[in-house]
Amino acid sequence: MDCSLAREALSARIDGEREPVPTHRTDEHLATCTDCQAWYASATALTRSLRVNSVGRTPDLTSSILAAVGVPVPRSRPRRLLRWVIRDHPWRAALVVVALAQLALGLTQIFGIGHDHGGMVMGTEAMTGHLFNESTAWNLAVGVGFLIAAWRPAATNGLLPVLATFTVLLTCFVITDSIAGQVTVERVASHAIIAIGVLVTMMVRRRELHTGSPASHRLPADAGEDVELPDGARYGRRRGHLRGANDPAA
């Protein structure tokens, strides 16, 4: 056995791999060759030091490498969040602020801070307390609805009709109660939160319609001006026309 074959077998032994020759043949060569003995000792020590020692800290060159090849450098999380708020979705961010204000209003009612309905409705203490609890539950529910709409703008479809109707009716009641002197300025100001929320929700919905997918009845981008459709037909993918495989009419 020559030294190159013996060192190949010893290298495999150090790595825990199968040796290319029988083990006893390698041991016989190692017992008589001082050069291979020295090589084996040095290789074993080097392998042990590489496995035990920790890797030193190296500078992060990601940004410079990406810039050198023309790839945009990814922004940090705070910068991405700031870009999301200021440039991409300012109205959704504003709706989050309104939602937090609405939730804060409900929490102040729960803890009895600065809100007193008195006995302006039904005249009985029990009924007044129940109406106060209903108002608190409504304020919290509206705040959660604003948060959901900020997270999923598609939810504005169901939120807007309810809140817009409520705001119009509430405005009428506030005007009549203010004339009769049955509502305080503080209470009127608290209703401004939901009014602002309705306006912001409308802006979120408007932006969603402008940035969303085009309506199905619009012409595709590659359609020519000479394309004519039959009466009652329109462009777009037809929906709801698929039937189950077990349907006789399928």
Side-chain angles (χ1 to χ4, degrees):
M1 178 184 295
D2 58 5
C3 292
S4 62
L5 182 57
R7 293 179 184 182
E8 181 181 351
L10 292 173
S11 178
R13 181 182 299 182
I14 294 173
D15 295 335
E17 300 175 356
R18 182 177 179 181
E19 299 180 24
V21 294
T23 304
H24 69 276
R25 294 286 305 277
T26 306
D27 293 337
E28 290 176 356
H29 177 84
L30 186 62
T32 58
C33 181
T34 56
D35 292 339
C36 288
Q37 292 175 4
W39 181 91
Y40 182 55
S42 176
T44 304
L46 179 61
T47 302
R48 185 181 297 110
S49 64
L50 292 176
R51 291 176 179 175
V52 173
N53 293 340
S54 60
V55 179
R57 297 181 61 88
T58 57
D60 186 4
L61 303 178
T62 304
S63 300
S64 59
I65 294 174
L66 292 178
V69 298
V71 178
V73 180
R75 294 180 173 87
S76 61
R77 182 163 299 185
R79 292 181 61 187
R80 289 201 304 267
L81 179 60
L82 189 62
R83 179 177 178 270
W84 186 92
V85 171
I86 296 178
R87 196 177 106 179
D88 295 342
H89 305 284
W91 290 111
R92 290 171 66 180
L95 191 57
V96 172
V97 176
V98 175
L100 295 178
Q102 186 69 25
L103 291 174
L105 177 63
L107 292 177
T108 57
Q109 289 184 233
I110 290 178
F111 295 105
I113 303 175
H115 292 279
D116 183 12
H117 284 268
M120 63 181 181
V121 181
M122 297 297 179
T124 63
E125 183 179 353
M127 182 58 69
T128 301
H130 179 67
L131 290 176
F132 182 79
N133 292 336
E134 288 183 354
S135 174
T136 303
W138 168 256
N139 286 327
L140 293 175
V142 171
V144 174
F146 283 150
L147 283 178
I148 294 176
W151 178 44
R152 297 287 187 186
T156 55
N157 288 334
L159 190 64
L160 268 178
V162 177
L163 293 185
T165 304
F166 172 77
T167 303
V168 172
L169 295 177
L170 181 62
T171 302
C172 297
F173 286 129
V174 166
I175 293 174
T176 56
D177 292 342
S178 298
I179 295 174
Q182 295 179 348
V183 64
T184 63
V185 176
E186 178 187 356
R187 190 61 187 169
V188 174
S190 67
H191 296 321
I193 299 176
I194 191 170
I196 295 174
V198 171
L199 295 177
V200 176
T201 303
M202 293 175 62
M203 297 305 299
V204 170
R205 180 58 186 160
R206 184 167 176 239
R207 185 179 179 90
E208 177 70 10
L209 290 176
H210 282 289
T211 58
S213 59
S216 59
H217 63 274
R218 296 178 183 174
L219 291 175
D222 55 350
E225 296 181 356
D226 56 343
V227 177
E228 295 183 0
L229 293 177
D231 295 338
R234 64 178 183 178
Y235 281 101
R237 182 178 178 182
R238 186 180 174 192
R239 300 182 182 276
H241 63 283
L242 298 179
R243 301 188 180 184
N246 57 351
D247 191 341

